[in-house]
Amino acid sequence: MIGVMQDAMTLSLCIVVLAGLSVTAACQGEPKERPFLTKLPFHVLTTNDPDRLYEARRTDRVQGFAAGAEALAARYKPGGRRNPENRDFYYVLHCAIKVFEGNGNQKCLEIALAMLKAATAKWYSMSDEELRQPIDEEGCFNPGNVEMKDHAYDLALLYHLTGDLQAAHKAAVIMQRYNEVIRQWPLKERFGDKRFSQHDERYLANEDAALGLYGGWIPGDLGAALPLLYSFDLIHDSGAMEEIGARDDIESMVRHHIDFTEQLWKTYGNLEAGDMTRYCRFGLLVPEPEYIHIAMEWLDNLIHATFYADGYWHEGAGSYHEDITNGLTRAMPRLLNGYSDPPGFVSKLDGTRFDNLNLTEQYSMQFRRMRVSLAKLTFPNGLGAVVHDTAFPQRAWWTPPKVHSNPKLLGCMGHLVLAKGEGSSQEQAHLHFSGTHGHQHHDALHIMAWSQEQEMISSTNYRPLPDDVSTREWHTITAGQNTVVIDQTSQYRTDNKHPITELDAMPFPDWRYRTSRHGT
């Protein structure tokens, strides 16, 4: 049966070529102009060094091209991108697309097409009504609603590489069905099966309990919508959405993901760099420049509100500082480098426009301070000091190896390093006096020491190491932090609040945990 489907797909491709890849006369109008989309969807389909990527993957028989197109296509398992068994399949597929897009490598095109035909065979030959059936008003309670957007993306990729209008049509039908039902979807609680409205403010404000449209934790839910955004982008010039009279409806469905996210309270937390970047992706591909202005205001507020003056992330945890810093200093600047608003556009949000953005230059002082502060908590062996919820080992890729140790102070975050020596004679004593602002250990006034090329006195890990008998509770309490305790009592949490007064005023919104005290 699959062979018959593939033969039908091949015939369709031949028809497309003979037709000169033209859009059918049934289209209801020309696709809308997209004034500042100048390249393919970001790193997903492109690479700056396709030749290097090809060499890296050329001989790898598991995550590379050596197995050949037919064998790689045969690895596809039902369930698409939602099936963990397809992880290597889609990794190889995207590598093949990146190489072809970068240097025109025909072998990689052959591999990509064979793999996409295997992934889309079931959906490509379905009737439109059959395609619509797995998508309903049950939201994340129906796995089909979570899965089908990924199949739309595969079909859109097939159109992108071949010009196959049937693939574009099938992707458009799937997206049109999402538009019909997505606003009625119920939301699911994180630790149960209760249903909530998409406009339930109390539910949405509970970040730790709330799940988003696709059943994932809300801080990452917008990322689950990217396959629909990318599908919309990839078939935009096909005429397929206009042919079924759904161009504006599908764009409205894509925009609904941002509308839903805008209901949430921006916590200025450690996961928000991901959603800021996703706002920018939506802004570039819808296109909607206002989304980019929202993200830029968000970025500016977060930098000024939730990093200490010494540059360290307010939670004091190295792993979380690394994550948020990486997102803010690398992902967003790379995505928006050189971006300009459409001619004549002025934001209703802030009354400004952007021309030739360069975030690395604009925030150079803040970005440098963030990176330098993290580097101060690095041992001579290139591992980061395990402070608060920091994973071990955390390789300090952000700073060169230490050949000389000297004193460091993070006075706002609360960490002092007494140090001396060079090479193998380096010695460090870390005196920690940080407060607790989330992802904390109750470890104010503990000590770490480095000598004789190793940690002589060490702190604890975020969670137990593999096969370790300790517990999360042990890694959190004061007794686990080289700190004397009295009456087996740990330091107190910061659940108590203090009122915000005029003396506390800042020129940006109060972030979620600002009223928490610094700890005891």
Side-chain angles (χ1 to χ4, degrees):
M1 184 65 180
I2 291 178
V4 174
M5 293 178 181
Q6 291 178 337
D7 289 343
M9 294 167 71
T10 303
L11 176 61
S12 179
L13 294 182
C14 293
I15 294 173
V16 168
V17 172
L18 291 173
L21 307 184
S22 62
V23 178
T24 66
C27 295
Q28 296 184 355
E30 293 298 320
K32 292 183 179 179
E33 183 183 4
R34 312 171 75 209
F36 47 88
L37 178 62
T38 58
K39 54 187 177 182
L40 294 169
F42 322 117
H43 69 279
V44 179
L45 298 183
T46 59
T47 175
N48 292 328
D49 196 344
D51 296 333
R52 182 178 179 181
L53 177 60
Y54 177 73
E55 286 302 315
R57 302 268 66 87
R58 181 173 59 87
T59 59
D60 190 327
R61 302 198 67 84
V62 177
Q63 288 191 323
F65 311 136
E70 184 177 350
L72 288 169
R75 294 179 182 177
Y76 179 78
K77 305 292 184 185
R81 298 167 189 266
R82 301 292 301 174
N83 186 343
E85 293 185 75
N86 285 329
R87 184 182 66 87
D88 287 337
F89 177 91
Y90 280 102
Y91 177 74
V92 176
L93 170 61
H94 280 278
C95 285
I97 293 174
K98 289 179 181 181
V99 173
F100 169 70
E101 294 287 0
N103 62 18
N105 186 299
Q106 292 300 302
K107 179 180 179 181
C108 285
L109 175 61
E110 177 186 348
I111 289 172
L113 291 180
M115 297 178 79
L116 280 172
K117 288 176 183 178
T120 59
K122 176 180 178 180
W123 318 103
Y124 184 92
S125 299
M126 278 186 176
S127 69
D128 291 358
E129 189 54 39
E130 289 174 322
L131 274 178
R132 294 163 53 86
Q133 288 178 0
I135 307 168
D136 60 21
E137 296 182 357
E138 286 294 289
C140 64
F141 289 89
N142 171 18
N145 293 327
V146 182
E147 181 181 325
M148 287 302 293
K149 57 186 169 56
D150 297 323
H151 299 310
Y153 184 25
D154 287 341
L155 288 160
L157 280 172
L158 182 61
Y159 163 75
H160 169 71
L161 291 178
T162 65
D164 183 340
L165 294 178
Q166 180 166 328
H169 172 80
K170 299 301 181 183
V173 168
I174 293 173
M175 289 191 285
Q176 182 188 39
R177 178 58 178 160
Y178 272 99
N179 175 66
E180 293 172 355
V181 299
I182 195 169
R183 295 167 188 81
Q184 286 75 52
W185 282 359
L187 303 179
K188 182 177 180 290
E189 65 180 343
R190 192 176 179 192
F191 302 108
D193 289 319
K194 290 183 180 179
R195 297 176 177 228
F196 298 86
S197 163
Q198 292 184 31
H199 306 291
D200 188 323
E201 294 182 1
R202 292 185 62 185
Y203 175 77
L204 295 173
N206 190 350
E207 179 187 4
D208 291 332
L211 298 181
L213 292 169
Y214 297 98
W217 193 24
I218 272 186
D221 192 65
L222 192 58
L226 289 177
L228 289 171
L229 173 67
Y230 293 153
S231 300
F232 175 71
D233 171 56
L234 289 166
I235 70 167
H236 205 281
D237 64 350
S238 69
M241 293 183 286
E242 290 80 2
E243 184 178 11
I244 61 175
R247 164 61 179 75
D248 291 343
D249 289 341
I250 292 173
E251 179 180 326
S252 176
M253 177 272 295
V254 171
R255 287 175 176 268
H256 178 71
H257 294 90
I258 296 291
D259 294 340
F260 171 77
T261 306
E262 278 293 286
Q263 297 180 100
L264 307 176
W265 182 18
K266 291 182 174 62
T267 63
Y268 298 105
N270 55 60
L271 295 175
E272 293 194 355
D275 272 351
M276 285 183 224
T277 303
R278 293 171 193 127
Y279 266 62
C280 296
R281 294 183 188 278
F282 274 78
L284 289 168
L285 296 183
V286 167
E288 177 49 78
E290 205 69 85
Y291 295 163
I292 296 174
H293 282 257
I294 293 173
M296 287 295 296
E297 180 183 70
W298 193 353
L299 167 69
D300 194 78
N301 288 344
L302 187 143
I303 286 176
H304 288 95
T306 54
F307 284 86
Y308 290 126
D310 57 27
Y312 215 86
W313 178 245
H314 71 276
E315 291 175 313
S319 294
Y320 288 90
H321 180 103
E322 178 194 358
D323 288 346
I324 189 73
T325 297
N326 192 41
L328 298 183
T329 67
R330 301 180 72 183
M332 279 190 69
R334 182 168 58 237
L335 183 62
L336 293 180
N337 186 42
Y339 166 79
S340 295
D341 285 327
F345 175 84
V346 176
S347 170
K348 295 179 181 178
L349 175 71
D350 55 23
T352 69
R353 60 170 287 110
F354 298 139
D355 288 291
N356 196 26
L357 266 181
N358 186 333
L359 299 188
T360 302
E361 180 179 303
Q362 182 175 338
Y363 291 102
S364 60
M365 179 178 67
Q366 290 92 342
F367 287 174
R368 180 180 182 277
R369 184 183 296 135
M370 290 151 62
R371 288 190 291 264
V372 168
S373 67
L374 184 58
K376 289 180 178 180
L377 269 67
T378 304
F379 289 121
N381 65 347
L383 296 183
V386 178
V387 178
H388 292 306
D389 276 351
T390 298
F392 177 87
Q394 179 170 267
R395 178 62 56 183
W397 55 265
W398 52 84
T399 185
K402 287 189 178 296
V403 296
H404 175 78
S405 286
N406 51 15
K408 308 288 185 185
L409 175 64
L410 293 169
C412 298
M413 181 271 219
H415 197 97
L416 170 68
V417 183
L418 301 175
K420 66 177 183 177
E422 298 185 10
S424 60
S425 299
Q426 295 179 75
E427 295 181 328
Q428 297 181 1
H430 290 240
L431 309 178
H432 184 74
F433 53 98
S434 173
T436 51
H437 291 278
H439 287 287
Q440 70 278 324
H441 296 164
H442 307 302
D443 60 358
L445 305 180
H446 89 265
I447 186 172
M448 293 172 280
W450 173 278
S451 183
Q452 301 179 49
E453 300 187 88
Q454 60 184 314
E455 284 186 75
M456 307 297 284
I457 304 175
S458 184
S459 188
T460 58
N461 190 37
Y462 187 167
R463 296 185 176 92
L465 295 169
D467 302 320
D468 191 75
V469 297
S470 64
T471 63
R472 174 80 173 102
E473 289 73 21
W474 169 253
H475 287 270
T476 303
I477 65 174
T478 304
Q481 313 295 329
N482 306 320
T483 305
V484 173
V485 298
I486 299 174
D487 297 333
Q488 302 180 10
T489 301
S490 216
Q491 294 165 355
Y492 292 112
R493 292 180 58 90
T494 55
D495 295 332
N496 54 325
K497 308 286 186 180
H498 69 256
I500 295 294
T501 71
E502 292 183 1
L503 295 176
D504 300 304
M506 296 189 294
F508 32 74
D510 286 323
W511 51 284
R512 182 173 182 179
Y513 300 106
R514 187 179 173 219
T515 58
S516 297
R517 298 185 189 277
H518 192 68
T520 51

